Amino acid sequence: MSKKIIRFGVIGCGLMGKEFASAAARWCHLTHVDFEPKIVAVCDANAAATQWFQDNIASVEAAYTDYKELLANPSVDAIYCAVPHNLHAQIYIDIIEAGKHLLGEKPFGIDQAANRLISEAIIKHPNVIVRCSSEFPFYPGAQQIFQWVQDNKFGTIIEVEAGFWHSSDLDPTKVINWKRRIATNGEYGCMGDLGMHVLHLPMRYGWKPKSVRALLSKIVPERPDGKGNMVPCETWDNAILACDVELEDQQFPMILSTKRIAPGNANTWFIRITGTEFSAEFTTKNPKQVASLPYTPGGNQAWHVEDAPYKSAYGTITGGIFEFGFSDSILQMWAAFCDELAHGSDTQQPFYCATPEEAAGSHKVFTAALESNRTGQTIPINWRD
């Protein structure tokens, strides 16, 4: 099978840039796809960060410290950009205006004003495909729940809970990084860092909160700066958002939580939906299992837990009896993005990456959450503008 080669540049050569490179190197893991990414150029303000790519990725032809030089490279078709949130607006806009397709990291701007500037650039360049990184909904268990929602199995929804929890910042001796500073991470704190992962599926379902009441926590007030000093932690550690979702035919509460300090949770993403006819839950803590509770009036109420086979959005060489993991979800997300680049809306399967519109929706929720925390009130969200 001949494959369409999509030539990528990477801007930001840290952890997630390396994850993309690893996914591209594993492309033979996928079956029956007629497209393939090839990383040909990399850029990082720290020249040493690009060396790993030059040492390990044979396809890399050029390395830069100035991203504008990368954007001027005519052989680059698309960009993966993973930089601190304060750099999103300028760099994303420059990528879009250069005519390069973009998969960018969340939250698509340090705040709502920055996100609007990115959205305006996208509108002005409709031929550029722009998507937001969010890999967890590509787990087979999450895909199963997505299909159950599409099939209207739940009846009247009783409530929804979705979250993404870390324990990485529980250690108070951990040296401060850019995610702990408002200037680089933004006032959203953990919401901007983790929240698009949580909102990806609710936004895709059309579950847009009518209002939000937020409880935001600063748990570790200061951290070492690596130079012998203690400095303030400026951003929120944890956030719990109580939302009110109102659809044409029903209304239900939705709890969204993003936590960087959740003891015992290394990297836990979950969604739980309860309904009058069906309930379901999936968590990456048990990646091979999905729980469901079918109900008929007068019948038993019992949760059923069964293995979710390795049945991914895009076919792979892995047998269904094996366990799906984080690197697999990254590969599936990249397959979905490259599928759009190769085929437009005529993709091999229907579940596409998080959209700029969904990212903009997350900014509405986070901005309202900040206001709720400041005022102690429930804040309405306007989805009409």
Side-chain angles (χ1 to χ4, degrees):
M1 177 192 300
S2 62
K3 294 185 178 181
K4 176 180 174 61
I5 301 300
I6 304 166
R7 294 167 65 87
F8 272 90
V10 174
I11 299 175
C13 295
L15 175 65
M16 295 311 297
K18 292 175 182 176
E19 287 287 353
F20 171 38
S22 176
R26 292 181 66 219
W27 212 254
C28 62
H29 190 77
L30 299 171
T31 58
H32 305 107
V33 295
D34 60 355
F35 45 83
E36 182 176 355
K38 183 179 181 182
I39 299 173
V40 299
V42 294
C43 176
D44 198 286
N46 176 12
T50 65
Q51 192 61 49
W52 180 90
F53 287 79
Q54 296 174 80
D55 292 342
N56 292 282
I57 309 301
S59 59
V60 171
E61 302 167 356
Y64 307 94
T65 56
D66 184 343
Y67 75 89
K68 291 185 179 179
E69 293 182 6
L70 187 153
L71 295 183
N73 186 334
S75 68
V76 174
D77 304 314
I79 302 290
Y80 171 58
C81 188
V83 295
H85 304 165
N86 61 309
L87 302 177
H88 284 191
Q90 186 62 62
I91 297 180
Y92 286 14
I93 289 169
D94 287 345
I95 292 169
I96 294 163
E97 291 183 342
K100 312 292 188 184
H101 304 297
L102 168 64
L103 182 69
E105 277 298 330
K106 70 308 183 233
F108 261 56
I110 195 169
D111 55 23
Q112 192 169 35
N115 179 259
R116 284 172 176 156
L117 293 175
I118 297 170
S119 297
E120 289 169 4
I122 293 170
I123 291 170
K124 292 176 182 176
H125 297 82
N127 294 326
V128 176
I129 296 174
V130 180
R131 294 291 179 260
C132 180
S133 178
S134 176
E135 62 274 4
F136 295 102
F138 286 93
Y139 272 78
Q143 289 281 298
Q144 178 62 81
I145 288 181
F146 176 78
Q147 189 58 54
W148 283 334
V149 173
Q150 297 295 99
D151 293 341
N152 296 313
K153 286 183 69 71
F154 292 86
T156 298
I157 293 176
I158 299 169
E159 64 182 20
V160 173
E161 183 177 4
F164 189 22
W165 295 358
H166 278 266
S167 60
S168 58
D169 288 352
L170 179 60
D171 182 358
T173 67
K174 179 181 176 181
V175 174
I176 198 168
N177 59 27
W178 65 268
K179 294 181 180 181
R180 289 302 182 187
R181 304 183 191 278
I182 289 177
T184 46
N185 182 85
E187 193 181 351
Y188 293 151
C190 61
M191 294 185 291
D193 185 36
L194 307 175
M196 187 61 228
H197 291 304
V198 177
L199 275 163
H200 185 170
L201 286 185
M203 290 292 103
R204 186 64 53 87
Y205 299 147
W207 296 345
K208 298 177 177 179
K210 178 184 176 184
S211 66
V212 61
R213 173 67 173 96
L215 298 174
L216 310 184
S217 303
K218 288 183 180 178
I219 299 163
V220 178
E222 59 180 15
R223 291 186 180 274
D225 65 357
K227 301 176 183 178
N229 303 308
M230 297 297 289
V231 294
C233 291
E234 301 170 340
T235 59
W236 301 107
D237 292 306
N238 290 357
I240 300 173
L241 312 183
C243 303
D244 179 27
V245 177
E246 187 173 294
L247 306 177
E248 290 184 1
D249 58 344
Q250 60 180 305
Q251 184 172 344
F252 55 86
M254 180 168 69
I255 305 298
L256 308 173
S257 58
T258 56
K259 300 181 181 181
R260 294 198 63 85
I261 301 180
N265 291 276
N267 200 61
T268 302
W269 180 95
F270 64 90
I271 186 166
R272 178 186 177 99
I273 305 169
T274 57
T276 57
E277 298 176 12
F278 192 78
S279 300
E281 179 179 14
F282 172 74
T283 171
T284 57
K285 188 177 283 290
N286 301 304
K288 200 178 177 182
Q289 294 182 333
V290 63
S292 62
L293 191 160
Y295 177 72
T296 54
N300 294 328
Q301 301 178 37
W303 281 94
H304 304 270
V305 179
E306 58 184 310
D307 278 2
Y310 195 122
K311 184 180 180 182
S312 49
Y314 292 86
T316 71
I317 62 173
T318 302
I321 63 172
F322 296 107
E323 190 169 300
F324 193 92
F326 178 72
S327 59
D328 297 299
S329 69
I330 292 281
L331 180 60
Q332 291 290 315
M333 178 186 71
W334 276 103
F337 183 59
C338 291
D339 196 353
E340 280 199 89
L341 298 189
H343 302 121
S345 59
D346 189 22
T347 53
Q348 185 173 316
Q349 57 83 39
F351 191 83
Y352 46 88
C353 295
T355 66
E357 294 78 14
E358 289 164 347
S362 75
H363 278 267
K364 283 182 176 290
V365 175
F366 304 154
T367 301
L370 291 177
E371 183 179 353
S372 173
N373 189 73
R374 282 192 295 267
T375 64
Q377 298 178 348
T378 298
I379 303 301
I381 301 178
N382 179 14
W383 294 96
R384 294 188 298 275
D385 59 348

